[in-house]
Amino acid sequence: MNTSVLTDIASAEEGTSLWKDAWLRLRKNRLAIVGLCVLLVCIVLALLTPLIAPYAYDAQDLDLGATPPSAAHWLGTDIFGRDMLTQILYGGRISLAVGFIATSVALLIGITWGAIAGYVGGRVDAVMMRLVDILYALPFMIFIILLMVVFGRNLLLLFLAIGAVEWLTMARIMRGQVQSLRQQEFVEAAISLGLSPGTIIRRHLIPNALGPIIVYTTLTIPSVMLLEAFLSFLGLGVQPPQTSWGLLISYGAETMEEYPWLLIFPGLALTITLFSLNFLGDGLRDALDVRGSKD
C-alpha cells in the first residue's frame, strides 16, 4: 500500500466538517485571501492609529495650507495644513467602525426577526414579513436624513440609524434558512426533548444558518460604509473635528481641480477596502456553497 493511499485513509478516519472544508476551499481562492489580508491590515492600522499616526488628527498649519505629497507629509496636506495620512488613518477608524457596528445592529435585528418568523410560521410569520415588505417600500435614505436633522448629527445615532435600515434583507434570508431547517430531524428531536422555542432557535437553528449570515455580513459592511460616505458627502454624517473617508472625499471633491490628492488618496483607501470586502464575501460564498464545490 503506497503513501498516498495511507494518507487518504488517515484523512478519512480523521473526519472533516463544513467549516474545515470551507476553509480549505477559501484558501484556494487567491482574491479572497488577498481581500482577507488587506482587511486585517486595515483593522490593525485603525486600532493602532493613535500610535502610528505621524501627527495629531486636529493639528493644523494654516501657513502651510494644501501641499502635495512630500518627505514631511507622505500624502500631502489639506487646505488647513492637516496631514492627509493622519486624516486617512483616523478616518478609517470611523468608517470601519460604522461598517462593523451598524452591520452588527442590522444582524441582531434581522436574525432575531427572521428566526422568529420562520420558526413560528402561520399568521405570525405573515404579519412579520408583511411589515418587512412595507418597510422595504419606504425611502430609507430620507428616513436617515430626517433622523440626523431631528436628533442631531450624533455619531452613535448614525451607527444605529444605518443599522436599523439594513436589517430587512437579513430578516428574509434568516427566515428562509429557518424554514428549511425547521423540518430537519435534529430540530424535531429538540422539540421532542421539550426544549423551548427560544432555546431551539438560539442553540440549533441560528448556528446552522451561520454560513449565509457570514456571507451576508461581508457584503453588508461595504454597503454600510458607502452609505456613511454618501451621508458625509451630503454633510449629514460625521462632523469635524472627527473625520471619515466619506467626509474626506467630500472635501476633496470640492477642491479636486486645484488639489487632486485630497480626493485621490481617501478615495483609494475606501475603494481598496470595499474591493477587499467584496472579494472576501464572494470567496466565502463559494467556499460555503457545498453544492458548487468540486473538491
Side-chain angles (χ1 to χ4, degrees):
M1 186 175 296
N2 58 36
T3 306
S4 61
V5 175
L6 292 175
T7 303
D8 293 339
I9 295 176
S11 300
E13 291 178 350
E14 180 182 354
T16 186
S17 66
L18 170 64
W19 300 107
K20 184 177 180 180
D21 287 343
W23 169 244
L24 292 175
R25 287 191 290 270
L26 182 65
R27 289 196 307 179
K28 298 177 182 179
N29 189 326
R30 294 182 179 179
L31 283 178
I33 294 299
V34 170
L36 176 60
C37 293
V38 172
L39 180 60
L40 292 176
V41 169
C42 290
I43 293 174
V44 171
L45 289 177
L47 294 174
L48 299 180
T49 291
L51 301 177
I52 64 177
Y55 299 89
Y57 77 95
D58 56 352
Q60 298 183 7
D61 188 346
L62 298 178
D63 294 331
L64 180 63
T67 59
S70 62
H73 302 279
W74 292 356
L75 301 184
T77 59
D78 63 10
I79 58 176
F80 301 106
R82 298 178 298 186
D83 181 69
M84 281 302 297
L85 177 57
T86 300
Q87 293 294 303
I88 290 173
L89 288 173
Y90 276 99
R93 301 187 83 192
I94 298 295
S95 294
L96 289 172
V98 170
F100 284 104
I101 296 176
T103 300
S104 298
V105 173
L107 290 178
L108 179 63
I109 299 174
I111 290 173
T112 303
W113 191 275
I116 293 174
Y119 182 81
V120 176
R123 293 184 178 179
V124 173
D125 175 43
V127 172
M128 293 179 72
M129 298 315 295
R130 294 299 76 75
L131 180 59
V132 170
D133 293 337
I134 293 173
L135 293 177
Y136 254 120
L138 298 179
F140 277 105
M141 182 59 66
I142 297 178
F143 173 70
I144 294 178
I145 292 174
L146 288 176
L147 283 178
M148 296 293 102
V149 173
V150 174
F151 295 101
R153 300 168 184 177
N154 183 278
L155 191 59
L156 178 60
L157 177 63
L158 179 65
F159 293 161
L160 297 177
I162 294 177
V165 302
E166 291 286 338
W167 63 273
L168 300 174
T169 302
M170 185 68 252
R172 283 184 168 180
I173 293 174
M174 192 64 196
R175 171 180 176 265
Q177 290 294 312
V178 169
Q179 285 184 329
S180 176
L181 295 170
R182 179 70 174 78
Q183 308 303 321
Q184 299 296 318
E185 294 180 356
F186 70 91
V187 176
E188 296 179 357
I191 295 174
S192 65
L193 291 174
L195 297 181
S196 65
T199 301
I200 294 174
I201 291 174
R202 187 176 65 256
R203 293 185 180 179
H204 299 283
L205 294 177
I206 292 179
N208 281 278
L210 280 180
I213 292 173
I214 292 173
V215 173
Y216 177 76
T217 300
T218 61
L219 299 177
T220 302
I221 294 175
S223 174
V224 169
M225 292 177 66
L226 283 174
L227 181 56
E228 181 277 326
F230 178 70
L231 290 174
S232 295
F233 187 84
L234 295 178
L236 296 172
V238 178
Q239 297 298 309
Q242 295 174 327
T243 189
S244 71
W245 288 336
L247 189 60
L248 291 175
I249 291 172
S250 175
Y251 289 156
E254 296 174 0
T255 58
M256 60 180 297
E257 294 183 359
E258 296 179 276
Y259 316 116
W261 62 89
L262 299 184
L263 176 63
I264 292 174
F265 293 127
L268 280 176
L270 179 61
T271 301
I272 290 172
T273 304
L274 294 181
F275 269 117
S276 301
L277 285 164
N278 285 325
F279 289 150
L280 178 59
D282 289 342
L284 286 172
R285 180 193 61 200
D286 295 339
L288 292 169
D289 184 8
V290 179
R291 294 169 299 177
S293 63
K294 296 180 180 180
D295 294 343

